[in-house]
Amino acid sequence: MNKMKIECMAHLENESFIRTSVMAFLLPLNLSVEDCMEIKTMLAEAVVNAMIHGYDGNENGIVKVEVNYDEREIEIIVEDNGCGINDISLAMQPLYTSKQHLERSGMGMTIMQTFADDFHIDSEKGKGTSVRLCKKINYENETIK
């Protein structure tokens, strides 16, 4: 198993640093282009959600990203200590957004859930949110048992 952790201020410009760092860390896995795109997309959605929704625009918050992988699976955990999610089942509905004024599409949770092989979210009002994304590694010409 290999693992890394990154902590950044909740500045939107840090999302690209986090995404690039995570993809560089995963480079030894020699992932397919499709898997790379799905991982980058899930990660970007989770990080931007933490920054925009978790801290409600307060750039003094911290976003934490932990990545673990072995020969079969990648696990990504994105955490914030922000405001938490009032109603997770509502937040999971496609097209729902609590930030209509920012012209958010409301598809972030749906995108993460679609691309992840396992998706889990924990949130507590006033304490923050943790999103866990798992992606199985599919090697070409190999049947995973």
Side-chain angles (χ1 to χ4, degrees):
M1 168 150 344
N2 200 0
K3 66 170 36 178
M4 71 170 282
K5 292 182 181 183
I6 298 175
E7 289 188 11
C8 288
M9 299 296 292
H11 300 203
L12 284 174
E13 63 266 22
N14 288 339
E15 180 274 326
S16 62
F17 169 74
I18 293 169
R19 187 172 20 91
T20 302
S21 299
V22 168
M23 295 314 295
F25 176 71
L26 296 176
L27 205 56
L29 296 175
N30 201 22
L31 299 168
S32 70
V33 172
E34 180 180 348
D35 283 345
C36 287
M37 294 305 296
E38 289 179 2
I39 291 166
K40 286 193 287 189
T41 302
M42 289 187 304
L43 180 60
E45 291 294 340
V47 169
V48 169
N49 276 356
M51 292 174 174
I52 290 176
H53 298 284
Y55 292 112
D56 201 20
N58 178 357
E59 293 187 337
N60 291 321
I62 300 287
V63 175
K64 301 172 192 167
V65 178
E66 180 179 331
V67 182
N68 306 295
Y69 72 79
D70 59 23
E71 65 278 351
R72 296 288 177 194
E73 185 176 66
I74 300 162
E75 175 188 54
I76 300 170
I77 300 167
V78 178
E79 296 179 326
D80 66 68
N81 295 317
C83 63
I85 300 171
N86 287 331
D87 184 343
I88 292 176
S89 61
L90 180 62
M92 296 291 293
Q93 291 182 12
L95 304 177
Y96 172 79
T97 181
S98 62
K99 304 283 185 204
Q100 296 90 349
H101 63 284
L102 295 178
E103 296 183 20
R104 308 300 300 167
S105 72
M107 293 301 293
M109 297 287 199
T110 302
I111 289 168
M112 288 185 278
Q113 198 168 24
T114 299
F115 288 157
D117 291 309
D118 187 34
F119 172 82
H120 186 76
I121 186 164
D122 283 317
S123 189
E124 189 174 339
K125 187 81 174 130
K127 297 205 178 198
T129 301
S130 176
V131 174
R132 181 178 174 270
L133 306 158
C134 290
K135 186 83 172 158
K136 289 185 182 356
I137 300 171
N138 298 310
Y139 296 99
E140 290 191 34
N141 302 322
E142 180 184 342
T143 303
I144 296 182
K145 298 174 177 131

